[in-house]
Amino acid sequence: MTGTAPLPHGSVVAVVVTRHRREQLVDSLAAMAKQTHPIAHLVVVDNGPDEPAREVVEACGIPATWLPSWRNLGGAGGFALGMLHAIALGAEWIWLGDDDGRAADETVLATLVDVAQRRMLSAASPVVVDAADPERLAFAVRRGFTWNRSRSALAADPSVVDGELLPGIAAFFNGALFRAGTLEVIGVPDLRLFVRGDEVELHRRLARSRLAFGTVLTAAYLHPRGTDDLKPMLGGRLHAQHPDDAVKRYYTYRNRGYLVSRPGMRRVGLLEVPRFAWYFLVTRRDPRGFAEWVRLVRQGRAERFDRF
């Protein structure tokens, strides 16, 4: 724990959210401890203290605070709590990490700080790559009607600046670096979303703020590949996000309904109905699935955020 004095000027505080993933957390925190740019403090929000990660946190080699939550706050609430705690400690920079991901090398944080300072960015994200194949992206990045699935494809985007920055695009909960002042403008993740869509909603707010941010192509964050929920349609030319798990499906569609009703995403929402109607009624021949999708999207639009 820290004392009552604030952290020194320019301090970086790392924030990690975990739940029942001690083994992965060990690797994540070990990668943080090896960073060439110093981390002044680490905040770990533990959403599953019935299987506590306290020993892992205390053994990581970084001055740390373990914050147990006996009510599972999800990723949204966990990061909100951790980010607010980091601001209260006096952090100037806040570095976010998930428990099942890790920095690809010891220079990731130094690279993010350098680019953010030189280019006066409010937030800077590394490229999130597949831990099993670092040339592939862990999550495909859509640019217009094109889905980029590799680092090389992302680097070839015409909007890339000086070979190091893709402006206006970022993945926040896997290695992104924020200025503390940025969060005073855009806020922290919305607890109501719990999981699924919380990162997209924060991205929406940052984009609308007109603050400068982007993905730093010279830094990478390793994460398990996350494309299982994307189901192909029209011969693979389009995809629909359809989790097989009922809990994930509930939060995905309910939160998406809320998201596409917000300023900045309403045009996207206009495309959702024909795309999912085709997916459920033509590709899957599943009218009950489409009815479930409609019900959950309407629930989100009405801001009824009941837990599953």
Side-chain angles (χ1 to χ4, degrees), residues 33 35 45 49 58 67 125 129 163 169 227 231 239 266 281 283-284 304:
Q35 294 300 300
V45 178
E58 292 177 345
L67 288 180
S125 166
V129 300
I169 295 291
T227 57
K231 306 299 170 59
H239 291 76
R266 289 169 181 159
L281 301 179
T283 303
R284 286 178 58 90
R304 298 197 304 272

mmCIF file with all atom_site columns, all heavy atoms in Angstrom, residues 33 35 45 49 58 67 125 129 163 169 227 231 239 266 281 283-284 304:
data_model
loop_
_atom_site.group_PDB
_atom_site.id
_atom_site.type_symbol
_atom_site.label_atom_id
_atom_site.label_alt_id
_atom_site.label_comp_id
_atom_site.label_asym_id
_atom_site.label_entity_id
_atom_site.label_seq_id
_atom_site.pdbx_PDB_ins_code
_atom_site.Cartn_x
_atom_site.Cartn_y
_atom_site.Cartn_z
_atom_site.occupancy
_atom_site.B_iso_or_equiv
_atom_site.pdbx_formal_charge
_atom_site.auth_seq_id
_atom_site.auth_comp_id
_atom_site.auth_asym_id
_atom_site.auth_atom_id
_atom_site.pdbx_PDB_model_num
ATOM 1   N N   . ALA A 1 33  ? 6.586   -6.153  -14.629 1.00 0.00 ? 33  ALA A N   1
ATOM 2   C CA  . ALA A 1 33  ? 7.751   -5.935  -13.763 1.00 0.00 ? 33  ALA A CA  1
ATOM 3   C C   . ALA A 1 33  ? 9.041   -5.787  -14.560 1.00 0.00 ? 33  ALA A C   1
ATOM 4   O O   . ALA A 1 33  ? 10.009  -5.194  -14.066 1.00 0.00 ? 33  ALA A O   1
ATOM 5   C CB  . ALA A 1 33  ? 7.873   -7.076  -12.763 1.00 0.00 ? 33  ALA A CB  1
ATOM 6   N N   . GLN A 1 35  ? 9.381   -4.115  -17.421 1.00 0.00 ? 35  GLN A N   1
ATOM 7   C CA  . GLN A 1 35  ? 9.373   -2.945  -18.291 1.00 0.00 ? 35  GLN A CA  1
ATOM 8   C C   . GLN A 1 35  ? 10.540  -1.999  -17.990 1.00 0.00 ? 35  GLN A C   1
ATOM 9   O O   . GLN A 1 35  ? 10.871  -1.753  -16.828 1.00 0.00 ? 35  GLN A O   1
ATOM 10  C CB  . GLN A 1 35  ? 8.049   -2.190  -18.153 1.00 0.00 ? 35  GLN A CB  1
ATOM 11  C CG  . GLN A 1 35  ? 6.841   -2.964  -18.648 1.00 0.00 ? 35  GLN A CG  1
ATOM 12  C CD  . GLN A 1 35  ? 6.944   -3.338  -20.121 1.00 0.00 ? 35  GLN A CD  1
ATOM 13  O OE1 . GLN A 1 35  ? 7.044   -2.467  -20.990 1.00 0.00 ? 35  GLN A OE1 1
ATOM 14  N NE2 . GLN A 1 35  ? 6.924   -4.632  -20.400 1.00 0.00 ? 35  GLN A NE2 1
ATOM 15  N N   . VAL A 1 45  ? -7.518  -5.095  -9.377  1.00 0.00 ? 45  VAL A N   1
ATOM 16  C CA  . VAL A 1 45  ? -8.886  -5.287  -8.907  1.00 0.00 ? 45  VAL A CA  1
ATOM 17  C C   . VAL A 1 45  ? -9.233  -6.757  -9.080  1.00 0.00 ? 45  VAL A C   1
ATOM 18  O O   . VAL A 1 45  ? -9.201  -7.288  -10.195 1.00 0.00 ? 45  VAL A O   1
ATOM 19  C CB  . VAL A 1 45  ? -9.877  -4.398  -9.691  1.00 0.00 ? 45  VAL A CB  1
ATOM 20  C CG1 . VAL A 1 45  ? -11.310 -4.651  -9.218  1.00 0.00 ? 45  VAL A CG1 1
ATOM 21  C CG2 . VAL A 1 45  ? -9.513  -2.928  -9.520  1.00 0.00 ? 45  VAL A CG2 1
ATOM 22  N N   . PRO A 1 49  ? -12.400 -12.733 -5.196  1.00 0.00 ? 49  PRO A N   1
ATOM 23  C CA  . PRO A 1 49  ? -11.576 -12.949 -4.003  1.00 0.00 ? 49  PRO A CA  1
ATOM 24  C C   . PRO A 1 49  ? -11.875 -14.245 -3.263  1.00 0.00 ? 49  PRO A C   1
ATOM 25  O O   . PRO A 1 49  ? -11.177 -14.576 -2.305  1.00 0.00 ? 49  PRO A O   1
ATOM 26  C CB  . PRO A 1 49  ? -11.889 -11.718 -3.135  1.00 0.00 ? 49  PRO A CB  1
ATOM 27  C CG  . PRO A 1 49  ? -13.229 -11.254 -3.592  1.00 0.00 ? 49  PRO A CG  1
ATOM 28  C CD  . PRO A 1 49  ? -13.289 -11.571 -5.051  1.00 0.00 ? 49  PRO A CD  1
ATOM 29  N N   . GLU A 1 58  ? 1.255   -9.514  -4.463  1.00 0.00 ? 58  GLU A N   1
ATOM 30  C CA  . GLU A 1 58  ? 2.292   -9.112  -3.507  1.00 0.00 ? 58  GLU A CA  1
ATOM 31  C C   . GLU A 1 58  ? 3.673   -9.631  -3.886  1.00 0.00 ? 58  GLU A C   1
ATOM 32  O O   . GLU A 1 58  ? 4.679   -9.072  -3.451  1.00 0.00 ? 58  GLU A O   1
ATOM 33  C CB  . GLU A 1 58  ? 1.910   -9.590  -2.108  1.00 0.00 ? 58  GLU A CB  1
ATOM 34  C CG  . GLU A 1 58  ? 0.680   -8.869  -1.547  1.00 0.00 ? 58  GLU A CG  1
ATOM 35  C CD  . GLU A 1 58  ? 0.247   -9.400  -0.194  1.00 0.00 ? 58  GLU A CD  1
ATOM 36  O OE1 . GLU A 1 58  ? 0.713   -10.512 0.180   1.00 0.00 ? 58  GLU A OE1 1
ATOM 37  O OE2 . GLU A 1 58  ? -0.551  -8.718  0.488   1.00 0.00 ? 58  GLU A OE2 1
ATOM 38  N N   . LEU A 1 67  ? -7.108  -4.852  -4.657  1.00 0.00 ? 67  LEU A N   1
ATOM 39  C CA  . LEU A 1 67  ? -8.458  -4.379  -4.344  1.00 0.00 ? 67  LEU A CA  1
ATOM 40  C C   . LEU A 1 67  ? -9.459  -5.502  -4.581  1.00 0.00 ? 67  LEU A C   1
ATOM 41  O O   . LEU A 1 67  ? -9.878  -5.748  -5.717  1.00 0.00 ? 67  LEU A O   1
ATOM 42  C CB  . LEU A 1 67  ? -8.822  -3.181  -5.217  1.00 0.00 ? 67  LEU A CB  1
ATOM 43  C CG  . LEU A 1 67  ? -8.151  -1.839  -4.937  1.00 0.00 ? 67  LEU A CG  1
ATOM 44  C CD1 . LEU A 1 67  ? -8.656  -0.790  -5.926  1.00 0.00 ? 67  LEU A CD1 1
ATOM 45  C CD2 . LEU A 1 67  ? -8.424  -1.382  -3.509  1.00 0.00 ? 67  LEU A CD2 1
ATOM 46  N N   . SER A 1 125 ? -2.496  3.038   -27.599 1.00 0.00 ? 125 SER A N   1
ATOM 47  C CA  . SER A 1 125 ? -2.674  1.600   -27.455 1.00 0.00 ? 125 SER A CA  1
ATOM 48  C C   . SER A 1 125 ? -1.605  0.852   -28.248 1.00 0.00 ? 125 SER A C   1
ATOM 49  O O   . SER A 1 125 ? -1.235  1.284   -29.344 1.00 0.00 ? 125 SER A O   1
ATOM 50  C CB  . SER A 1 125 ? -4.063  1.192   -27.969 1.00 0.00 ? 125 SER A CB  1
ATOM 51  O OG  . SER A 1 125 ? -4.163  -0.207  -28.152 1.00 0.00 ? 125 SER A OG  1
ATOM 52  N N   . VAL A 1 129 ? -2.020  -8.513  -30.376 1.00 0.00 ? 129 VAL A N   1
ATOM 53  C CA  . VAL A 1 129 ? -1.728  -9.610  -31.290 1.00 0.00 ? 129 VAL A CA  1
ATOM 54  C C   . VAL A 1 129 ? -2.031  -10.957 -30.650 1.00 0.00 ? 129 VAL A C   1
ATOM 55  O O   . VAL A 1 129 ? -2.099  -11.094 -29.427 1.00 0.00 ? 129 VAL A O   1
ATOM 56  C CB  . VAL A 1 129 ? -0.259  -9.566  -31.757 1.00 0.00 ? 129 VAL A CB  1
ATOM 57  C CG1 . VAL A 1 129 ? 0.027   -8.253  -32.487 1.00 0.00 ? 129 VAL A CG1 1
ATOM 58  C CG2 . VAL A 1 129 ? 0.710   -9.743  -30.590 1.00 0.00 ? 129 VAL A CG2 1
ATOM 59  N N   . GLY A 1 163 ? 4.844   5.533   -40.077 1.00 0.00 ? 163 GLY A N   1
ATOM 60  C CA  . GLY A 1 163 ? 5.083   4.129   -39.811 1.00 0.00 ? 163 GLY A CA  1
ATOM 61  C C   . GLY A 1 163 ? 4.919   3.706   -38.372 1.00 0.00 ? 163 GLY A C   1
ATOM 62  O O   . GLY A 1 163 ? 5.202   2.554   -38.027 1.00 0.00 ? 163 GLY A O   1
ATOM 63  N N   . ILE A 1 169 ? -7.838  4.880   -33.687 1.00 0.00 ? 169 ILE A N   1
ATOM 64  C CA  . ILE A 1 169 ? -8.175  3.474   -33.432 1.00 0.00 ? 169 ILE A CA  1
ATOM 65  C C   . ILE A 1 169 ? -7.383  3.011   -32.214 1.00 0.00 ? 169 ILE A C   1
ATOM 66  O O   . ILE A 1 169 ? -6.182  3.287   -32.115 1.00 0.00 ? 169 ILE A O   1
ATOM 67  C CB  . ILE A 1 169 ? -7.832  2.584   -34.640 1.00 0.00 ? 169 ILE A CB  1
ATOM 68  C CG1 . ILE A 1 169 ? -8.690  2.961   -35.843 1.00 0.00 ? 169 ILE A CG1 1
ATOM 69  C CG2 . ILE A 1 169 ? -7.999  1.100   -34.307 1.00 0.00 ? 169 ILE A CG2 1
ATOM 70  C CD1 . ILE A 1 169 ? -10.157 2.622   -35.699 1.00 0.00 ? 169 ILE A CD1 1
ATOM 71  N N   . THR A 1 227 ? -11.745 -14.516 -31.823 1.00 0.00 ? 227 THR A N   1
ATOM 72  C CA  . THR A 1 227 ? -12.645 -14.432 -32.980 1.00 0.00 ? 227 THR A CA  1
ATOM 73  C C   . THR A 1 227 ? -13.715 -15.524 -32.980 1.00 0.00 ? 227 THR A C   1
ATOM 74  O O   . THR A 1 227 ? -14.450 -15.648 -33.960 1.00 0.00 ? 227 THR A O   1
ATOM 75  C CB  . THR A 1 227 ? -11.840 -14.537 -34.285 1.00 0.00 ? 227 THR A CB  1
ATOM 76  O OG1 . THR A 1 227 ? -11.101 -15.766 -34.287 1.00 0.00 ? 227 THR A OG1 1
ATOM 77  C CG2 . THR A 1 227 ? -10.865 -13.369 -34.416 1.00 0.00 ? 227 THR A CG2 1
ATOM 78  N N   . LYS A 1 231 ? -19.351 -15.104 -36.574 1.00 0.00 ? 231 LYS A N   1
ATOM 79  C CA  . LYS A 1 231 ? -19.857 -16.162 -37.421 1.00 0.00 ? 231 LYS A CA  1
ATOM 80  C C   . LYS A 1 231 ? -20.012 -15.647 -38.855 1.00 0.00 ? 231 LYS A C   1
ATOM 81  O O   . LYS A 1 231 ? -20.612 -14.587 -39.079 1.00 0.00 ? 231 LYS A O   1
ATOM 82  C CB  . LYS A 1 231 ? -21.209 -16.658 -36.897 1.00 0.00 ? 231 LYS A CB  1
ATOM 83  C CG  . LYS A 1 231 ? -21.164 -17.088 -35.427 1.00 0.00 ? 231 LYS A CG  1
ATOM 84  C CD  . LYS A 1 231 ? -20.196 -18.245 -35.182 1.00 0.00 ? 231 LYS A CD  1
ATOM 85  C CE  . LYS A 1 231 ? -19.960 -18.512 -33.718 1.00 0.00 ? 231 LYS A CE  1
ATOM 86  N NZ  . LYS A 1 231 ? -21.150 -18.835 -32.956 1.00 0.00 ? 231 LYS A NZ  1
ATOM 87  N N   . HIS A 1 239 ? -19.746 -10.822 -41.308 1.00 0.00 ? 239 HIS A N   1
ATOM 88  C CA  . HIS A 1 239 ? -19.780 -11.634 -40.100 1.00 0.00 ? 239 HIS A CA  1
ATOM 89  C C   . HIS A 1 239 ? -20.810 -11.057 -39.137 1.00 0.00 ? 239 HIS A C   1
ATOM 90  O O   . HIS A 1 239 ? -21.103 -9.860  -39.165 1.00 0.00 ? 239 HIS A O   1
ATOM 91  C CB  . HIS A 1 239 ? -18.407 -11.657 -39.416 1.00 0.00 ? 239 HIS A CB  1
ATOM 92  C CG  . HIS A 1 239 ? -17.365 -12.399 -40.190 1.00 0.00 ? 239 HIS A CG  1
ATOM 93  N ND1 . HIS A 1 239 ? -16.754 -11.873 -41.309 1.00 0.00 ? 239 HIS A ND1 1
ATOM 94  C CD2 . HIS A 1 239 ? -16.838 -13.640 -40.006 1.00 0.00 ? 239 HIS A CD2 1
ATOM 95  C CE1 . HIS A 1 239 ? -15.882 -12.748 -41.780 1.00 0.00 ? 239 HIS A CE1 1
ATOM 96  N NE2 . HIS A 1 239 ? -15.915 -13.820 -41.016 1.00 0.00 ? 239 HIS A NE2 1
ATOM 97  N N   . ARG A 1 266 ? -25.143 5.798   -34.073 1.00 0.00 ? 266 ARG A N   1
ATOM 98  C CA  . ARG A 1 266 ? -26.494 5.539   -34.567 1.00 0.00 ? 266 ARG A CA  1
ATOM 99  C C   . ARG A 1 266 ? -26.503 5.094   -36.023 1.00 0.00 ? 266 ARG A C   1
ATOM 100 O O   . ARG A 1 266 ? -27.349 4.297   -36.425 1.00 0.00 ? 266 ARG A O   1
ATOM 101 C CB  . ARG A 1 266 ? -27.356 6.791   -34.373 1.00 0.00 ? 266 ARG A CB  1
ATOM 102 C CG  . ARG A 1 266 ? -27.684 7.038   -32.898 1.00 0.00 ? 266 ARG A CG  1
ATOM 103 C CD  . ARG A 1 266 ? -28.310 8.382   -32.642 1.00 0.00 ? 266 ARG A CD  1
ATOM 104 N NE  . ARG A 1 266 ? -28.569 8.572   -31.216 1.00 0.00 ? 266 ARG A NE  1
ATOM 105 C CZ  . ARG A 1 266 ? -28.721 9.764   -30.647 1.00 0.00 ? 266 ARG A CZ  1
ATOM 106 N NH1 . ARG A 1 266 ? -28.649 10.872  -31.384 1.00 0.00 ? 266 ARG A NH1 1
ATOM 107 N NH2 . ARG A 1 266 ? -28.948 9.848   -29.353 1.00 0.00 ? 266 ARG A NH2 1
ATOM 108 N N   . LEU A 1 281 ? -32.228 -15.437 -39.945 1.00 0.00 ? 281 LEU A N   1
ATOM 109 C CA  . LEU A 1 281 ? -33.341 -15.976 -40.708 1.00 0.00 ? 281 LEU A CA  1
ATOM 110 C C   . LEU A 1 281 ? -32.915 -16.702 -41.976 1.00 0.00 ? 281 LEU A C   1
ATOM 111 O O   . LEU A 1 281 ? -33.599 -17.639 -42.401 1.00 0.00 ? 281 LEU A O   1
ATOM 112 C CB  . LEU A 1 281 ? -34.314 -14.840 -41.069 1.00 0.00 ? 281 LEU A CB  1
ATOM 113 C CG  . LEU A 1 281 ? -34.910 -14.085 -39.870 1.00 0.00 ? 281 LEU A CG  1
ATOM 114 C CD1 . LEU A 1 281 ? -35.830 -12.976 -40.348 1.00 0.00 ? 281 LEU A CD1 1
ATOM 115 C CD2 . LEU A 1 281 ? -35.639 -15.037 -38.930 1.00 0.00 ? 281 LEU A CD2 1
ATOM 116 N N   . THR A 1 283 ? -29.139 -17.385 -42.905 1.00 0.00 ? 283 THR A N   1
ATOM 117 C CA  . THR A 1 283 ? -27.956 -18.234 -42.698 1.00 0.00 ? 283 THR A CA  1
ATOM 118 C C   . THR A 1 283 ? -28.235 -19.349 -41.697 1.00 0.00 ? 283 THR A C   1
ATOM 119 O O   . THR A 1 283 ? -27.935 -20.520 -41.954 1.00 0.00 ? 283 THR A O   1
ATOM 120 C CB  . THR A 1 283 ? -26.765 -17.380 -42.217 1.00 0.00 ? 283 THR A CB  1
ATOM 121 O OG1 . THR A 1 283 ? -26.503 -16.351 -43.172 1.00 0.00 ? 283 THR A OG1 1
ATOM 122 C CG2 . THR A 1 283 ? -25.519 -18.242 -42.041 1.00 0.00 ? 283 THR A CG2 1
ATOM 123 N N   . ARG A 1 284 ? -28.821 -19.016 -40.545 1.00 0.00 ? 284 ARG A N   1
ATOM 124 C CA  . ARG A 1 284 ? -29.055 -20.003 -39.495 1.00 0.00 ? 284 ARG A CA  1
ATOM 125 C C   . ARG A 1 284 ? -30.446 -20.629 -39.543 1.00 0.00 ? 284 ARG A C   1
ATOM 126 O O   . ARG A 1 284 ? -30.657 -21.682 -38.929 1.00 0.00 ? 284 ARG A O   1
ATOM 127 C CB  . ARG A 1 284 ? -28.857 -19.362 -38.112 1.00 0.00 ? 284 ARG A CB  1
ATOM 128 C CG  . ARG A 1 284 ? -27.421 -19.102 -37.737 1.00 0.00 ? 284 ARG A CG  1
ATOM 129 C CD  . ARG A 1 284 ? -27.346 -18.427 -36.358 1.00 0.00 ? 284 ARG A CD  1
ATOM 130 N NE  . ARG A 1 284 ? -27.968 -19.223 -35.311 1.00 0.00 ? 284 ARG A NE  1
ATOM 131 C CZ  . ARG A 1 284 ? -27.318 -20.131 -34.572 1.00 0.00 ? 284 ARG A CZ  1
ATOM 132 N NH1 . ARG A 1 284 ? -26.031 -20.349 -34.792 1.00 0.00 ? 284 ARG A NH1 1
ATOM 133 N NH2 . ARG A 1 284 ? -27.953 -20.802 -33.630 1.00 0.00 ? 284 ARG A NH2 1
ATOM 134 N N   . ARG A 1 304 ? -32.305 -0.862  -19.795 1.00 0.00 ? 304 ARG A N   1
ATOM 135 C CA  . ARG A 1 304 ? -32.663 -1.792  -18.719 1.00 0.00 ? 304 ARG A CA  1
ATOM 136 C C   . ARG A 1 304 ? -31.463 -2.730  -18.523 1.00 0.00 ? 304 ARG A C   1
ATOM 137 O O   . ARG A 1 304 ? -31.279 -3.699  -19.266 1.00 0.00 ? 304 ARG A O   1
ATOM 138 C CB  . ARG A 1 304 ? -33.931 -2.580  -19.081 1.00 0.00 ? 304 ARG A CB  1
ATOM 139 C CG  . ARG A 1 304 ? -35.149 -1.690  -19.260 1.00 0.00 ? 304 ARG A CG  1
ATOM 140 C CD  . ARG A 1 304 ? -36.444 -2.492  -19.202 1.00 0.00 ? 304 ARG A CD  1
ATOM 141 N NE  . ARG A 1 304 ? -36.471 -3.578  -20.177 1.00 0.00 ? 304 ARG A NE  1
ATOM 142 C CZ  . ARG A 1 304 ? -36.903 -3.468  -21.420 1.00 0.00 ? 304 ARG A CZ  1
ATOM 143 N NH1 . ARG A 1 304 ? -37.361 -2.303  -21.856 1.00 0.00 ? 304 ARG A NH1 1
ATOM 144 N NH2 . ARG A 1 304 ? -36.898 -4.497  -22.239 1.00 0.00 ? 304 ARG A NH2 1
#
